[in-house]
């Protein structure tokens, strides 16, 4: 549903631009490309005003005014200087690129957490879904706008505008100042486009210098589509047709994404759709003429048959494609759904995407358990919103956003789905967070900017006595501007070095910019990261060869293409790190607590072939640290590709109940923090028995058959099954109550040779002692447990002896599966138990939230031995912090991975006992808790 509502909202917001294009294109017969610049002008003006604290409505008025100024410039150039209207629009559009940069002060302005138009609207929301509420409000706004525009064009002044456009000669003969009217029309039209830009900027949460590109195409498509939908000479209906055309256009994009059409084909789809619309319109018009002329009726009938046949086949093909895609999608429903979005086809973004997908597969997310929905916005920021709506509609478990613009849109639009970003230079600029640990609650990711100061240091060692450095960049790219500023800051320490910079806006300008720098006698090309510059790198090489000028840059992939030295990130690491973060989120870790990560791998490239050609000798210390070396004969040595034995570790979970996931999180966190994945070339495969012992047997056999190097089991059943089947592979256990009861060990030092681990016996006696202290008059405690679980049996035995010690009667009910737990609890409630206890039972732990709800209704206090169970509804939890148990298990595993023998490591008893109280529930139960107990609690839910 969100996909279509989002499309509707975008249609409403772009309707203002569509009407603006309608005024110039249809009323004034003035093909005006200024709108690509005025749209951005409105967006940048609104954004900077909001950042400065101006009222959002006033910001929109100023956006209209600035857009009008752009149109005014075009009108004046055309009318006063007699420049062709199309050329006049192009000139103003180009000029406003620089003006918009000056308005914003930089290429991108984030509006997250700013008081904008949509925040004000949402303040009056009666409780509806936010996007639906926006649609309702925007519907009234657009209807009001339609009414005002219709009234205006029916007024005397409006009729003058229309008459001037349709017949300027007659209007001039009537004494009307045609030039003034045309200038005013173009100005008003671009004002509406600027207003649309201001609204879009606030809706998507940022203004960007490139967001206006293609606005004229969107506007024209909307006008043409609208005219095909509504055929009328009424000016009111013509304006309405432009508005409806805008909405239909956005729905067309949404429908294409919904049926699975590749976003790369959206431009083609748009062109075909508009062309088809024009064809049908012309066909209907010709048909009317034919019917009035009997001599062509026969020809028209033949054309009609051919046309209808073609359209019929086309519709059949489209419907067949939709059915096929839907069947294909239905047949491939996966356990996890991940939406991956990138802004455009770009070397760095593609590398990030491919490395992410490959690493996800290596971790264990393949076709059997994961559906990866990969989308490309094809360079259009307006498509990003639609793709995100598609992800929401598909109910993805998380979104992976590759690039800064897609991340900006995602973090503004999506608040209820985890977002992981990658290949973002500086997430703090876009307000994704304040620092690595303090960030938006549903956002984390991987980032890093190239250390330009270090790059400059290397440059000075390789090319001594530098007097002048040349660089070029696109000021429209926020990351490029940021890196250039870093370079300029580094150069302040070297006042004897002059900096020569050139701005470019497209790849075809790179060669000319390079030549201009060469003629300025630069000693070195030092190129900060810039997508356009790097995509046209061959042009720079060609220009540098004129005077053998060395090139130092950050793209390691360009070393063999002619760079002398490269120092930068291998962006495969961005995708790899993002994959491991995604794995943590899918396994249940709270994304709000996952800090941002810096890229972990810098690469250094040395080109000895280029050095020989231009007469430069590399210092030995530089050559020694090179991770990629191009020899004088052109051969390449890639030290990062050196073959290493791939180590595989099986993380075996008996089920995915919350406490086990907490332990698993502790394990993976330690591995991440100590960089075990990179240091040991280790990958982890997580296997889950889904609480089924027969499945656990199959899992253990699979682990043995696939020859894993190490095994970590979490829970007693997993340990029990694995220990019975495996006698060779090093095995570390955690989240185990009593390993001795199962016969794998007689004491901490005497255990199976290939096995060791961490024992965590629940504090059953301490819990029952606390129950007596809090409820001195209570007589009975109810407990449900599974006799098939050794740990549960051990805890129940401890509960029996402790109840006798503290004068309780323990009433027990056995279960064999989670489905039996509710009935078991009901039977205990019917026996009027005073208190309820859950301890060490995996089967029962799966139903903690359900048990808590049942007991709450009968006002029976619920005690458990899992620290976090209070968050699932328990009254008191006294037990281990299982996240810490997981961390301790990981440290034991790392000892084994680093070479320690399992037979030499004693089983460690580890119980980080903590108390968690639910005071909110205590109030509902009418229970007063002693202040001394509250003070001793590690955590209190109030």
């Amino acid at each position: 549903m969100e996909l279509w509502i989002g499309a509707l909202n975008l249609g409403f917001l772009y309707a203002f631009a569509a009407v603006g294009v309608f005024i110039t294109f249809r009323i004034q017969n003035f093909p005006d490309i200024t709108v690509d610049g005025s749209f951005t002008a409105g967006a940048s003006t609104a954004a900077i005003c909001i950042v400065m604290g101006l009222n959002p409505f006033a910001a929109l008025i100023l956006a209209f005014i600035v857009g009008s100024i752009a149109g005014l410039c075009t009108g004046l150039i055309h009318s006063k200087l007699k420049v062709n209207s199309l050329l006049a629009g192009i000139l103003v559009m180009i000029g406003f690129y620089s003006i918009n940069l000056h308005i914003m002060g930089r290429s991108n302005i984030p509006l997250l957490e700013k008081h904008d138009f949509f925040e004000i609207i949402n303040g009056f929301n009666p409780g509806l879904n936010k996007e639906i509420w926006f649609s309702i409000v925007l519907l009234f706004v657009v209807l009001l706008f339609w009414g005002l525009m219709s009234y205006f064009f029916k007024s005397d002044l409006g009729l003058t505008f229309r008459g001037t456009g349709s017949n300027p000669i007659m209007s001039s003969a009537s004494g009307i100042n045609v030039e003034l009217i045309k200038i005013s029309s173009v100005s008003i039209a671009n004002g509406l486009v600027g207003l649309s830009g201001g609204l879009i900027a606030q809706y998507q949460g940022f203004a960007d210098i490139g967001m206006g590109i293609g606005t004229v195409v969107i506007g024209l498509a909307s006008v043409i589509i609208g005219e095909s939908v509504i055929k009328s000479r009424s000016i009111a209906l013509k304006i309405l047709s432009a508005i409806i055309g805008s909405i239909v256009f956005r729905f067309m994009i949404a429908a294409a994404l919904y049926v699975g059409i590749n976003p790369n084909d959206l431009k083609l789809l748009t062109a075909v759709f508009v062309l088809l619309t024009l064809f049908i319109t012309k066909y209907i018009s010709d048909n009317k003429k034919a019917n009035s002329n009997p001599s062509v009726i026969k020809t028209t009938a033949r054309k009609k048959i051919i046309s209808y046949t073609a359209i019929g086949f086309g519709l059949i093909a489209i419907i067949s494609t939709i059915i096929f895609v839907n069947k294909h999608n239905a047949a491939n429903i996966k356990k996890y759904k991940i939406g991956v979005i990138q802004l455009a086809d770009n070397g760095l973004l593609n590398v990030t995407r491919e490395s992410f997908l490959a690493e996800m597969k290596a971790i264990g997310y393949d076709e059997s358990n994961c559906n990866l929905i990969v989308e490309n916005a094809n360079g259009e920021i307006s498509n990003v919103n639609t793709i995100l709506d598609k992800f929401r509609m598909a109910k993805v478990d998380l979104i992976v956003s590759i690039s800064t613009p897609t991340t900006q849109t995602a973090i503004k639009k999506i608040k209820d789905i985890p977002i992981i970003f990658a290949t973002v230079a500086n997430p703090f600029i876009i307000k994704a967070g304040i620092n690595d640990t303090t960030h938006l609650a549903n956002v984390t990711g991987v980032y890093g900017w190239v250390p330009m100061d270090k790059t400059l240091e290397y440059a000075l060692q390789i090319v001594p006595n530098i007097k002048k450095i040349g660089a070029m960049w696109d000021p429209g790219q926020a990351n490029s501007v940021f890196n250039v500023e870093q370079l300029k800051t580094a150069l302040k320490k070297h006042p004897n070095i002059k900096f020569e910079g050139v701005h470019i806006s497209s790849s075809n300008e790179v060669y000319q910019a390079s030549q201009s720098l060469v003629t300025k006698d630069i000693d070195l090309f030092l190129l900060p990261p810039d997508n356009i510059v790097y995509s046209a790198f061959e042009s720079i090489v060609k220009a540098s060869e004129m005077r053998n000028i060395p090139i130092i840059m950050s793209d390691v992939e360009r070393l063999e293409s002619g760079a002398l030295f490269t120092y930068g990130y291998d962006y495969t690491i961005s995708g790899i790190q993002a994959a491991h973060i995604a794995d943590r989120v899918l396994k249940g870790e709270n994304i709000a607590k996952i800090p941002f990560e810096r890229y972990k791998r810098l690469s250094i490239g040395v080109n000895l072939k280029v050095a020989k050609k231009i007469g430069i000798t590399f210092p030995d210390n530089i050559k020694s640290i090179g991770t990629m070396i191009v020899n004088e004969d052109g051969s390449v040595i890639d030290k990062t590709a050196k073959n290493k034995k791939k180590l595989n570790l099986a993380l075996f979970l008996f089920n995915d109940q919350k406490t086990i996931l907490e332990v698993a999180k502790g394990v993976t966190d330690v591995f991440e923090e100590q960089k075990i994945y990179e240091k040991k070339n280790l990958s982890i495969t997580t296997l889950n028995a889904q609480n089924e012992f027969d499945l656990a047997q199959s899992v253990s056999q699979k682990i043995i058959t696939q020859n894993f190097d190490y095994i970590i089991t979490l829970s007693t059943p997993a340990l029990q099954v694995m220990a019975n089947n495996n006698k060779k592979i090093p095995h570390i256990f955690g989240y185990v109550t009593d390993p001795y009861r199962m016969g794998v060990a007689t004491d901490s030092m005497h255990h199976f040779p290939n096995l060791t681990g961490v024992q965590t016996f629940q504090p059953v006696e301490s819990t029952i002692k606390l129950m007596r202290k809090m409820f001195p008059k209570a007589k009975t405690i109810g407990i449900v447990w599974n006799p098939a679980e050794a740990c549960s049996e051990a805890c129940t035995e401890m509960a029996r002896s402790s109840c006798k010690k503290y004068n309780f009667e323990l009433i027990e009910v056995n279960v064999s599966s989670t489905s039996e737990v509710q009935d078991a609890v009901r039977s205990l409630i019917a026996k009027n138990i005073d208190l309820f206890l859950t301890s060490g039972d995996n089967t029962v732990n799966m139903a903690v939230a359900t048990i808590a709800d049942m007991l709450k209704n009968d006002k029976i206090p619920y005690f458990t031995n899992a620290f976090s169970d209070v968050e699932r509804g328990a009254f008191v939890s006294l037990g281990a912090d299982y996240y810490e148990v997981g961390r301790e298990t990981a440290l034991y595993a790392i000892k084994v991975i680093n070479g320690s023998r399992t037979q030499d490591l004693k089983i460690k008893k580890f119980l980080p006992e903590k108390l968690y109280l639910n005071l909110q529930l205590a109030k509902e139960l009418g229970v007063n808790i002693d202040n001394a107990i509250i003070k001793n609690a590690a955590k209190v839910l109030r």
Side-chain angles (χ1 to χ4, degrees), residues 550-827:
I551 303 171
I552 292 178
M553 62 190 306
S554 303
D555 189 351
V556 182
E557 300 295 323
R558 294 295 181 176
L559 184 67
E560 295 180 68
S561 301
L564 172 69
F565 178 82
T566 59
Y567 181 68
Y569 291 108
D570 175 1
Y571 281 89
T572 57
I573 196 65
S574 178
I576 290 171
Q577 289 178 240
H580 284 283
I581 294 176
D583 180 44
R584 293 165 65 184
V585 173
L586 291 175
K587 287 176 178 174
E589 186 168 348
N590 184 355
I591 192 171
K593 296 180 180 179
I594 301 177
F596 292 171
E597 290 182 8
R598 293 293 296 263
Y599 300 139
K600 297 178 179 179
R601 189 164 67 211
L602 275 163
S603 296
I604 297 175
V606 175
N607 195 324
L608 300 178
K609 183 178 181 179
V610 171
K612 181 181 180 181
K613 180 179 178 181
I614 63 179
I616 287 179
T617 302
F618 272 98
D620 290 337
N621 66 308
I622 300 293
K623 286 193 291 185
S624 66
I625 61 175
T627 57
M628 180 178 286
I629 298 173
V630 177
N631 293 315
E632 292 182 3
D633 61 359
S635 61
V636 179
I637 299 173
D638 187 357
K639 297 179 181 179
T640 62
K642 185 178 179 180
N643 292 328
K644 297 179 181 177
K645 183 181 183 300
K646 183 76 173 179
L647 298 176
N648 297 301
L649 185 149
L651 183 62
F652 182 12
L653 285 60
F654 185 66
N655 55 41
D656 54 5
Q657 58 111 331
K658 192 173 188 300
T659 50
I660 291 184
L661 293 178
E662 288 174 3
V663 181
K665 174 179 176 292
V667 171
T668 54
D669 274 4
V670 171
F671 279 13
E672 288 278 356
E673 292 164 9
Q674 298 202 13
K675 298 180 171 51
I676 299 301
Y677 300 116
E678 294 85 358
K679 290 179 181 178
K680 299 296 181 181
N681 198 19
L682 177 77
S683 67
I684 290 183
T685 300
T686 302
L687 301 162
N688 193 324
Q690 302 298 334
N691 209 48
E692 298 288 343
F693 279 90
D694 57 340
L695 181 57
Q697 288 287 346
S698 300
V699 169
S700 67
Q701 291 164 2
K702 177 181 178 180
I703 291 171
I704 295 169
T705 302
Q706 293 187 350
N707 293 317
F708 278 86
D709 298 287
Y710 307 99
I711 303 168
I712 294 178
T713 55
L714 302 181
S715 76
T716 298
L719 165 62
Q720 189 175 23
V721 172
M722 198 71 245
N724 286 337
N725 291 315
N726 167 52
K727 305 298 181 183
K728 294 181 179 180
I729 302 173
H731 175 180
I732 303 92
F733 62 80
Y735 187 59
V736 170
T737 300
D738 189 354
Y740 310 113
R741 175 181 289 273
M742 296 178 298
V744 299
T746 54
D747 57 50
S748 61
M749 279 304 299
H750 296 87
H751 47 74
F752 288 0
N754 70 314
L755 179 148
T756 190
V758 178
Q759 176 195 8
T760 306
F761 202 106
Q762 282 74 10
V764 180
E765 183 174 348
S766 298
T767 303
I768 293 176
K769 180 180 179 181
L770 178 64
M771 295 167 86
R772 174 52 70 203
K773 183 176 182 180
M774 294 179 68
F775 297 94
K777 296 181 180 180
K779 297 179 180 179
T780 57
I781 297 175
I783 188 170
V784 175
W785 64 286
N786 184 357
E789 295 185 31
C791 58
S792 183
E793 183 181 18
C795 289
T796 303
E797 288 181 357
M798 179 63 72
R800 290 169 186 160
S801 60
S802 298
C803 281
K804 290 179 180 178
K805 183 176 181 179
Y806 293 100
N807 198 26
F808 280 111
E809 179 187 358
L810 185 67
I811 303 176
E812 305 174 30
V813 177
N814 294 344
V815 294
S816 60
S817 67
T818 304
S819 61
E820 299 173 5
V821 171
Q822 281 186 279
D823 288 337
V825 174
R826 288 193 188 99
S827 69

Side-chain angles (χ1 to χ4, degrees), residues 23 146-159 161-162 188:
I23 292 172
W146 172 50
L148 291 174
M149 293 302 297
S150 300
Y151 176 81
F152 171 77
F153 280 107
K154 288 180 180 179
S155 67
D156 291 339
L157 181 58
L159 289 170
F161 273 63
R162 292 163 60 189
I188 292 171

Side-chain angles (χ1 to χ4, degrees), residues 116-185:
D116 61 23
F117 175 78
F118 292 92
E119 184 182 344
I120 293 173
I121 291 176
N122 204 39
F124 298 96
N125 191 336
L128 297 174
N129 175 281
K130 185 172 68 173
E131 292 293 325
I132 293 176
W133 174 243
F134 288 167
S135 296
I136 294 171
V137 174
L138 289 175
L139 173 62
F140 283 103
V141 171
V142 171
L143 287 175
L144 177 62
F145 167 68
W146 172 50
L148 291 174
M149 293 302 297
S150 300
Y151 176 81
F152 171 77
F153 280 107
K154 288 180 180 179
S155 67
D156 291 339
L157 181 58
L159 289 170
T160 302
F161 273 63
R162 292 163 60 189
T164 301
S166 60
N167 197 333
I169 296 175
M170 181 64 73
S171 298
S172 179
S174 301
I176 297 172
N177 189 332
V178 174
E179 285 190 353
L180 178 61
I181 294 298
K182 183 165 286 191
I183 292 170
S184 299
S185 295

Side-chain angles (χ1 to χ4, degrees), residues 63-364:
F64 176 88
I65 292 171
V66 174
S68 298
I69 293 172
L72 178 65
C73 294
T74 299
L76 289 172
I77 291 172
H78 169 65
S79 299
K80 301 301 181 184
L81 301 181
K82 307 303 179 183
V83 176
N84 177 273
S85 60
L86 187 61
L87 179 58
I90 291 172
L91 292 173
V92 174
M93 179 193 69
I94 293 172
F96 258 75
Y97 186 91
S98 297
I99 292 171
N100 292 334
L101 279 172
H102 283 292
I103 291 173
M104 292 193 290
R106 55 185 187 273
S107 61
N108 188 286
I109 298 179
L111 296 177
L112 279 177
E113 299 178 355
K114 298 296 182 182
H115 187 62
D116 61 23
F117 175 78
F118 292 92
E119 184 182 344
I120 293 173
I121 291 176
N122 204 39
F124 298 96
N125 191 336
L128 297 174
N129 175 281
K130 185 172 68 173
E131 292 293 325
I132 293 176
W133 174 243
F134 288 167
S135 296
I136 294 171
V137 174
L138 289 175
L139 173 62
F140 283 103
V141 171
V142 171
L143 287 175
L144 177 62
F145 167 68
W146 172 50
L148 291 174
M149 293 302 297
S150 300
Y151 176 81
F152 171 77
F153 280 107
K154 288 180 180 179
S155 67
D156 291 339
L157 181 58
L159 289 170
T160 302
F161 273 63
R162 292 163 60 189
T164 301
S166 60
N167 197 333
I169 296 175
M170 181 64 73
S171 298
S172 179
S174 301
I176 297 172
N177 189 332
V178 174
E179 285 190 353
L180 178 61
I181 294 298
K182 183 165 286 191
I183 292 170
S184 299
S185 295
V186 176
S187 180
I188 292 171
N190 279 277
L192 293 175
V193 175
L195 176 62
S196 181
L199 287 165
I200 290 291
Q202 295 183 58
Y203 181 71
Q204 69 184 12
F206 69 95
D208 187 272
I209 192 64
M211 66 187 294
I213 298 173
T215 302
V216 66
V217 176
I218 294 172
L220 286 172
S222 300
V223 170
I224 293 169
I225 291 169
E227 287 176 343
S228 70
V229 174
I230 298 179
K231 292 284 186 182
S232 176
R233 292 188 176 185
S234 165
I235 187 63
L237 291 179
K238 285 185 176 181
I239 295 170
L240 180 61
S241 73
I243 295 171
I244 290 176
S246 174
I247 296 169
V248 171
F249 181 79
R250 300 318 308 183
F251 272 111
M252 181 188 72
I253 300 296
L257 290 170
Y258 178 73
V259 299
I261 292 176
N262 191 324
N264 290 336
D265 298 328
L266 288 179
K267 292 292 186 186
L268 177 61
L269 179 67
T270 301
V272 171
F273 190 89
V274 174
L275 184 62
L276 183 62
T277 302
L278 289 171
F279 169 77
I280 293 173
T281 303
K282 186 176 185 302
Y283 178 81
I284 293 172
S285 177
D286 291 345
N287 190 45
K288 288 181 179 178
K289 292 179 182 178
N291 289 334
S292 65
N293 187 352
S295 65
V296 296
I297 290 178
K298 193 173 291 185
T299 304
T300 302
R302 190 182 301 114
K303 288 183 177 179
K304 188 181 293 186
I305 292 170
I306 295 172
S307 299
Y308 283 154
T309 302
I311 292 172
F313 276 118
L315 290 173
I316 291 171
I318 292 171
I319 293 170
S320 299
T321 302
I322 293 172
I323 292 172
F324 173 81
V325 171
N326 285 339
K327 284 184 176 179
H328 178 75
N329 290 340
N332 287 276
I333 298 172
K334 304 298 186 292
K335 182 175 180 179
Y336 297 111
K337 287 185 180 179
I338 303 173
V340 181
I341 177 173
Q342 68 182 89
L343 182 64
D345 278 319
N346 170 285
L348 300 182
L349 303 186
N350 290 345
V351 165
T352 305
R353 180 196 67 222
E354 292 304 319
S355 62
F356 171 81
L357 298 177
E359 190 65 11
M360 288 296 288
K361 187 173 182 180
I363 293 172

